[in-house]
Amino acid sequence: MKKNLLFLICLLFLTVAPLFAQIDMLDLIKQDEETEYATASFKTDHVINLHSLENTAEGVLDFKVSHRFGVIKNGLYDLFGLDNAFQRFGFDYGVTNMLEVGLDRNSLNKAYDAFAKYKLLRQSSGKRTMPVTLSAMAGIAIETVHFSNPDRENFFSNRLNYTYQIIVGRKFSDAFSLELTPTLVHRNLVDTKVEKNDVYALGVAGRIRLTRRVAFTGEYIYVLPNQLAPGLYNSTSLGFDIETGGHVFQLHFTNSTSLSEYAFVTQNTDSWRNGDIHFGFNISRVFTLYDPKKKDALK
């Protein structure tokens, strides 16, 4: 476990260090320039399954509805998977521009998820230069599905799963953004003969803008070896973001049916190679509960 953790830390350092080396120190002492922060590196606070660099803005509530359907390879028999579906609905709220919290419910495993994401660094240029955005996310999931073996002694703690992520990335241009997501998932209940309680993974996600309102997205989560039971696969997803006013529609193909962080990292039984591909979508609708600029104007 320590070796895996050291590997992730070293990989993160090797990724971020060259970017910091690009900082022009003269920019830090220029007094006649304003700091300009990078925005809209991704359309929403999620890429597809993974969290993105972005946070929901202060005072804004983001209501999300998501579906993952059955495999498309069965064709018209189950209408390319549309006869079968898992759903999630959730609420993400911007406490500040740096801090976001969320709560959602996933029909798979009847899981309730809560998370907090804090932006530690913001990519910027001008008076102050920062080459990357860096965020930290911590989440907890509670499975409420009936225990598979009710005859054994089951504890509430067996239902709990935890996810910790560092999200580091950069908006390289208006057309391209990229992020890395070192991830630790801790599951309280596993078969310790074939699986680990702590699972280390590395996610990578990107966005390519095609038009003003359409972007191509993709993400891949590599789980380090010898941590999961045989027959499980890394999560791989490709899709499109379509922005229409206050809505963002995310249409994608993935081998993951769950939308809970711990589950799409550790429980994928489907493989792209075997044709186990699911169509899915996320719909994001934002509501401004209060405008911090108006609040400041009243002071």
Side-chain angles (χ1 to χ4, degrees):
M1 181 179 72
K2 293 182 178 179
K3 291 182 179 180
N4 290 336
L5 180 59
L6 181 61
F7 171 80
L8 287 178
I9 293 174
C10 291
L11 183 60
L12 179 61
F13 176 77
L14 291 173
T15 303
V16 176
L19 294 173
F20 278 94
Q22 299 174 14
I23 299 178
D24 183 356
M25 298 306 295
L26 294 177
D27 288 342
L28 299 177
I29 59 175
K30 291 179 180 178
Q31 301 300 318
D32 58 344
E33 294 185 25
E34 294 184 356
T35 300
E36 182 177 350
Y37 293 101
T39 60
S41 55
F42 293 88
K43 286 291 185 182
T44 76
D45 61 347
H46 283 72
V47 184
I48 296 176
N49 294 319
L50 286 170
H51 279 268
S52 77
L53 297 174
E54 298 299 328
N55 280 21
T56 302
E58 179 180 354
V60 173
L61 179 68
D62 186 351
F63 174 57
K64 285 187 172 65
V65 177
S66 304
H67 279 68
R68 299 293 184 271
F69 297 98
V71 293
I72 64 176
K73 67 181 181 181
N74 292 333
L76 289 174
Y77 179 74
D78 57 9
L79 201 57
F80 300 96
L82 297 184
D83 286 349
N84 307 303
F86 295 100
Q87 304 86 29
R88 180 183 71 172
F89 63 89
F91 301 88
D92 300 345
Y93 180 70
V95 180
T96 69
N97 286 329
M98 307 296 280
L99 175 63
E100 175 188 15
V101 296
L103 178 66
D104 61 68
R105 201 268 188 180
N106 191 336
S107 64
L108 184 61
N109 296 328
K110 304 187 185 300
Y112 291 85
D113 300 82
F115 76 88
K117 182 167 67 171
Y118 189 78
K119 192 171 291 188
L120 301 168
L121 300 173
R122 296 177 66 186
Q123 181 184 340
S124 61
S125 59
K127 183 178 179 180
R128 300 192 65 179
T129 301
M130 180 58 60
V132 297
T133 294
L134 179 68
S135 297
M137 192 283 295
I140 181 173
I142 304 174
E143 296 181 352
T144 62
V145 66
H146 295 309
F147 285 111
S148 58
N149 185 0
D151 295 328
R152 72 184 177 194
E153 187 175 11
N154 293 295
F155 301 95
F156 176 76
S157 59
N158 293 346
R159 298 185 177 278
L160 301 179
N161 301 275
Y162 306 89
T163 305
Y164 306 96
Q165 293 180 330
I166 296 295
I167 307 166
V168 57
R170 176 177 173 84
K171 184 179 182 181
F172 289 91
S173 69
D174 287 340
F176 180 61
S177 302
L178 184 69
E179 70 175 41
L180 294 176
T181 309
T183 300
L184 167 62
V185 173
H186 176 83
R187 299 172 295 167
N188 281 350
L189 180 63
V190 297
D191 184 349
T192 55
K193 294 180 180 179
V194 293
E195 293 196 302
K196 304 294 185 182
N197 292 94
D198 291 329
V199 176
Y200 296 89
L202 178 66
V204 58
R207 169 181 175 265
I208 300 174
R209 194 182 72 168
L210 302 178
T211 70
R212 183 179 176 183
R213 296 189 178 275
V214 179
F216 174 74
T217 58
E219 62 181 41
Y220 176 74
I221 305 170
Y222 173 71
V223 178
L224 274 64
N226 303 318
Q227 300 182 97
L228 301 178
L232 297 176
Y233 300 91
N234 294 330
S235 175
T236 307
S237 306
L238 299 172
F240 293 91
D241 288 357
I242 304 172
E243 183 181 10
T244 59
H247 292 80
V248 176
F249 295 89
Q250 297 179 304
L251 311 177
H252 40 257
F253 296 93
T254 178
N255 65 324
S256 303
T257 52
S258 178
L259 296 104
S260 296
E261 277 78 14
Y262 80 95
F264 64 71
V265 173
T266 66
Q267 295 181 359
N268 286 321
T269 58
D270 293 332
S271 166
W272 278 70
R273 182 178 299 178
N274 298 331
D276 301 323
I277 304 170
H278 305 262
F279 172 69
F281 65 80
N282 305 329
I283 300 176
S284 172
R285 178 67 169 95
V286 296
F287 301 90
T288 301
L289 300 188
Y290 80 91
D291 188 342
K293 293 181 180 179
K294 292 183 179 180
K295 182 180 179 181
D296 293 338
L298 296 175
K299 292 182 179 179

